[in-house]
Amino acid sequence: MLIKRNCGWEIPERQATPEGLWMNRRELVRGMGLGAMALAVPGMASAQNKDADPSAGLYPARKNDKYGAPTPVTTERLATTYNNFYEFGTDKSISRDAQKLQVRPWTIKVSGLVEKPFEIAIDDLLAKMPLEERVYRHRCVETWSMIVPWSGFAMKSLVELCKPTGDAKYVVMQTLHKPAVMLGQKDFLYPWPYTEGLAMDEAMHDLTFIATGLYGKPIHKQNGAPLRLVAPWKYGFKNVKSIVSIEFSAKRPVSFWEKLQSSEYGFWANVNPQVPHARWSQATEKPLGSDQRVPTQLYNGYAEFVSSLYADRKAEKLFI
Ligand code: MTE
């Protein structure tokens, strides 16, 4: 994976959003409706815009802090302008280009080892799912990190809707393939479409989240609209964006980065500060907006919730 260190996010920590301000903003937004949220960040279109997201009224969702309320929350500007979305380019400044992505209509295809394959439109899916907001840590394998409030639903609710058969061992998810809009997909050196997967027990773990919102509104295109995976104890590359396909399989998938460089990126990709990447240390990380590195935590701080998933998998290459 490419890494670029001299980037715009290297600004002082004081520019990260203090929790008090974030909370006030949530209340403000709740009281004033979507119009108040049209700030000058790509993807933050106002309700009057003809491209306004029909799901906007669903946010902000009820806050669920059973997995903690980490701080400081990264500013919305940083989290939505410093992105990895190779479909739009290999640098971090893809937020403007990503606005070309049309997220309606959007259909998700469910296939493979399920009782009955089906397709579902994103708004029909949203109507069926119990939406909530969770503030999670995110740790990129490149050693930057952020803390952001995702909205969406536990992935297990989606898995239950899909009705996998007993033979399903993995869930395989893929991003939209549309090279005419996602110009990065014209680069044939990459194994498009972006593919990622989880073992069934990982997908059914309550911490595993499908994000459809961010900062109390529909998720920004650059962050993976209209739906993306969030498995916060894993390196960020597991969190496949703009999902159009969910397939249940008996066979472990080979994901995008693993296909490119299996010696550096594996299937499990759990965060561990003691296991370095082939080319750099994972011991510390740089939060977006901070000028200081901080120690990285085992399973990105979620060990108490997820380490038992791996008790019987000690022979596997669990970390990267
Ligand atoms: N999903 C797709 N389809 N394409 C990508 O390039 N990058 C991954 C992940 N999901 C990526 C993707 C990586 S490396 C990271 S760190 C996160 O998205 C970044 O998410 P963010 O831009 O919302 O911070």
Side-chain angles (χ1 to χ4, degrees), residues 1 79 82-87 138 140 144 146 150 175 194 222-223 228 236-237 239-241 257:
M1 185 176 296
Y82 187 85
N83 301 102
N84 271 336
F85 204 163
Y86 274 53
E87 285 82 342
H138 172 102
C140 179
W144 56 270
M146 62 180 183
W150 302 109
T175 298
Y194 199 99
Q222 58 270 38
N223 296 96
R228 62 145 329 145
F237 67 85
N239 297 335
V240 48
K241 294 179 170 182
W257 287 106

Side-chain angles (χ1 to χ4, degrees), residues 275-292:
V275 179
H277 182 273
R279 288 179 280 138
W280 58 85
S281 164
Q282 295 291 9
T284 63
E285 65 200 54
K286 201 155 185 182
L288 293 188
S290 171
D291 45 14
Q292 281 184 351

Side-chain angles (χ1 to χ4, degrees), residues 34 37 43 53 55-57 59 212-214 216-221 225:
L34 182 73
M37 299 191 290
D53 191 314
S55 69
Y59 307 95
T212 58
L214 185 58
K217 67 194 86 169
I219 189 168
H220 306 59
K221 293 178 178 180

Side-chain angles (χ1 to χ4, degrees), residues 2 4 83-86 88-92 94 187 190:
L2 294 175
K4 204 165 163 248
N83 301 102
N84 271 336
F85 204 163
Y86 274 53
F88 292 102
T90 54
D91 67 26
K92 302 290 186 267
I94 53 79
D187 187 339
Y190 292 96

Side-chain angles (χ1 to χ4, degrees), residues 22-308:
W22 162 240
M23 294 303 287
N24 288 343
R25 192 175 168 285
R26 289 186 90 247
E27 296 315 313
L28 189 74
V29 164
R30 212 184 275 287
M32 294 178 72
L34 182 73
M37 299 191 290
L39 307 179
V41 169
M44 298 173 74
S46 75
Q48 291 79 37
N49 187 319
K50 68 177 170 45
D51 294 327
D53 191 314
S55 69
L58 300 175
Y59 307 95
R62 176 182 58 86
K63 202 169 164 71
N64 176 353
D65 61 4
K66 79 174 149 181
Y67 297 110
T71 57
V73 171
T74 304
T75 63
E76 181 173 358
R77 172 167 285 279
L78 278 173
T80 59
T81 54
Y82 187 85
N83 301 102
N84 271 336
F85 204 163
Y86 274 53
E87 285 82 342
F88 292 102
T90 54
D91 67 26
K92 302 290 186 267
S93 314
I94 53 79
S95 57
R96 286 203 182 277
D97 286 340
Q99 302 318 305
K100 295 182 193 125
L101 180 64
Q102 291 282 328
V103 296
R104 295 292 187 289
W106 190 276
T107 305
I108 301 120
K109 182 178 167 197
V110 175
S111 64
L113 300 173
V114 287
E115 280 178 21
K116 197 172 174 211
F118 63 94
E119 295 191 353
I120 187 164
I122 181 67
D123 294 302
D124 294 337
L125 178 66
L126 285 169
K128 289 178 193 288
M129 293 291 121
L131 288 194
E132 56 182 40
E133 180 181 284
R134 301 183 186 185
V135 180
Y136 278 171
R137 278 185 286 275
H138 172 102
R139 171 62 156 78
C140 179
V141 74
E142 296 166 340
T143 83
W144 56 270
S145 64
M146 62 180 183
I147 296 174
V148 294
W150 302 109
S151 306
F153 45 87
M155 184 167 177
K156 68 178 177 191
S157 304
L158 175 57
V159 173
E160 281 159 8
L161 182 78
C162 298
K163 297 197 173 62
T165 65
D167 296 334
K169 293 197 169 60
Y170 300 93
V171 192
V172 189
M173 287 156 277
Q174 285 188 329
T175 298
L176 177 71
H177 188 243
K178 203 167 192 185
V181 175
M182 297 168 135
L183 298 182
Q185 290 177 335
K186 292 188 171 172
D187 187 339
F188 58 84
L189 291 177
Y190 292 96
W192 312 109
Y194 199 99
T195 302
E196 261 304 344
L198 294 173
M200 281 298 282
D201 56 350
E202 294 180 318
M204 289 300 288
H205 193 288
D206 187 54
L207 188 63
T208 310
F209 204 61
I210 295 292
T212 58
L214 185 58
Y215 294 94
K217 67 194 86 169
I219 189 168
H220 306 59
K221 293 178 178 180
Q222 58 270 38
N223 296 96
L227 76 167
R228 62 145 329 145
L229 176 66
V230 182
W233 72 98
K234 292 181 176 286
Y235 288 111
F237 67 85
K238 292 295 292 182
N239 297 335
V240 48
K241 294 179 170 182
S242 304
I243 297 169
V244 289
S245 164
I246 301 175
E247 185 191 351
F248 292 84
S249 169
K251 200 171 151 235
R252 185 189 296 183
V254 181
S255 53
F256 183 83
W257 287 106
E258 194 180 359
K259 238 178 236 165
L260 269 174
Q261 194 78 302
S262 60
S263 57
E264 300 191 357
Y265 306 100
F267 174 77
W268 299 100
N270 297 310
V271 175
N272 187 337
Q274 293 185 345
V275 179
H277 182 273
R279 288 179 280 138
W280 58 85
S281 164
Q282 295 291 9
T284 63
E285 65 200 54
K286 201 155 185 182
L288 293 188
S290 171
D291 45 14
Q292 281 184 351
R293 301 191 75 84
V294 297
T296 285
Q297 302 175 58
L298 181 62
Y299 293 106
N300 199 23
Y302 296 99
E304 64 178 300
F305 306 114
V306 297
S307 54
S308 61

